Amino acid sequence: MSRDPAIRVERWTPLSRLSILGATLLLVMLAAGPFFFGNNAIDKLTTLFIYVILAVTWNALAGYGGLVSVGQQAFFGLGAYAAVRLADAGLNVYVSLVLAAVIIAAVSLPISSFMLRLKGGEFAIGMWVLAELCHLLVNLDSLVQGETGTSLIALNAYDADQRHAFNYWAALGSMTAILVILFVLLRSRIGSAIQAIRDNEEAAAALGVRVMATKRIIYVFAAFGAALAGALWLSTAITFQPKTYFGVQWTAYMIFMVLVGGLGTFEGAILGALIFFLIEAWFGGSGVWYLVGLGATALLFSLFVPRGIWGWLERRFGLSLLPLGYRILGIEPTAGTSPPDDGERGATPSAGTP
């Protein structure tokens, strides 16, 4: 089959290549952060990295997988709880953080067999019920002592400066790994299958997509990310109180970040995490009005800017820094043909692009 030389299909652009280079340089500079920043700045950046993890993994589940969950705090809390348990058993505290997320991801695998049978609103409410059930079960552990909670006392083995630096590097490394894994996953055949299921599950199944297995992959990945974020948050807060870690506000934060940044866009979730981080830094001390403001902002974005800030930029200017799909460029004139109309010129996302 011959290809029309007048049609160009591309994935990487000069801008996207430059973006990857810039992101790599930024990560290298951030890795040296503890040698130049004070503990306060280090703690704030650690918080930002955790927010990015929460945003991109919820966006993977809902924005790309079409599985809108209001119960991701279940895995966030379980990740922190598992880290406490592993550290109490004598395991190195920083090894416990990562291993806790792996264990919770493994636990989410059998849970997915039940939860993924639910559709739409049923899935969302089912996840919230799961979170409440996990909260109650954790409260029964004598180590936790109900809502009194416990502490990650193993961190006392490190002095304050060491603890701030190690928490920072753990969060930065975890965020980088999550972003790289998700980027590779969404650019693969599995990523295309995930988005096909989101758009039309029956049609995807008719084309041979293994619907349940594919949904399970993104569900377990999102659970791993939330659990890792919970464990990392524990390393900065030190204390573990179930009502704090299993609170629905964590999922509310995830939803806010993704709605404002851009649901179903890779860059949008990162942008939303940064925006939420700045809003919290400026207005976090406003009490209940801070939460009211977050809710009102999310509502306004869902009504008037449903694709979020990055989604709007992407549609308005064709901006794509980290392309996941292919782009079909406008037909270029060849010998003996007239130039295309203005409406035909330019880049158009392919079917594989969200």
Side-chain angles (χ1 to χ4, degrees), residues 325-345:
Y326 292 92
R327 295 163 63 86
I328 302 176
L329 300 186
I331 300 175
E332 298 177 348
T334 57
T337 64
S338 59
D341 294 333
D342 290 340
E344 296 174 335
R345 188 176 289 125

Side-chain angles (χ1 to χ4, degrees), residues 163-179:
R163 189 164 63 244
H164 289 291
F166 289 162
N167 289 345
Y168 175 90
W169 282 321
L172 176 61
S174 298
M175 179 193 70
T176 303
I178 288 288
L179 289 173

Side-chain angles (χ1 to χ4, degrees), residues 50-302:
I50 295 173
Y51 286 161
V52 170
I53 294 173
L54 289 173
V56 299
T57 52
W58 193 87
N59 186 46
L61 184 68
Y64 288 102
L67 299 167
V68 179
S69 167
V70 294
Q72 289 304 103
Q73 67 271 17
F75 302 119
F76 183 87
L78 287 175
Y81 168 69
V84 168
R85 263 297 174 190
L86 291 170
D88 183 69
L91 195 64
N92 176 274
V93 63
Y94 287 102
V95 174
S96 298
L97 301 181
V98 178
L99 184 57
V102 173
I103 291 174
I104 299 309
V107 170
S108 73
L109 189 58
I111 293 175
S112 68
S113 299
F114 302 97
M115 299 307 302
L116 293 179
R117 297 182 184 276
L118 303 177
K119 307 290 184 182
E122 293 178 348
F123 175 80
I125 298 302
M127 287 299 300
W128 177 78
V129 172
L130 174 66
E132 291 301 308
L133 178 61
C134 292
H135 183 185
L136 293 174
L137 291 175
V138 168
N139 273 346
L140 298 177
D141 190 339
S142 58
L143 176 65
V144 176
Q145 306 176 69
E147 294 298 350
T148 302
T150 186
S151 300
L152 194 61
I153 58 176
L155 283 173
N156 292 332
Y158 304 89
D159 63 41
D161 290 338
Q162 283 183 321
R163 189 164 63 244
H164 289 291
F166 289 162
N167 289 345
Y168 175 90
W169 282 321
L172 176 61
S174 298
M175 179 193 70
T176 303
I178 288 288
L179 289 173
V180 170
I181 293 171
L182 181 60
F183 187 66
V184 172
L185 178 66
L186 292 176
R187 285 168 62 92
S188 68
R189 288 188 176 183
I190 295 175
S192 299
I194 289 169
Q195 295 173 70
I197 293 169
R198 173 199 62 190
D199 295 337
N200 191 315
E201 186 171 318
E202 290 74 19
L207 291 174
V209 174
R210 299 175 60 190
V211 172
M212 188 59 70
T214 304
K215 290 167 68 174
R216 186 172 288 119
I217 290 172
I218 202 68
Y219 182 89
V220 171
F221 177 80
F224 172 79
L228 183 58
L232 290 168
W233 190 270
L234 174 65
S235 70
T236 63
I238 300 179
T239 58
F240 174 77
Q241 291 179 304
K243 65 181 178 181
T244 300
Y245 286 81
F246 287 97
V248 72
Q249 77 272 9
W250 292 108
T251 296
Y253 295 161
M254 298 179 215
I255 295 173
F256 176 86
M257 290 186 281
V258 173
L259 282 181
V260 171
L263 181 67
T265 61
F266 194 89
E267 303 92 337
I270 302 172
L271 176 62
L274 178 59
I275 292 172
F276 175 73
F277 170 76
L278 295 174
I279 291 175
E280 186 180 55
W282 293 333
F283 305 108
S286 303
V288 68
W289 289 108
Y290 161 68
L291 297 176
V292 171
L294 288 180
T297 303
L299 178 62
L300 290 174
F301 266 86
S302 63

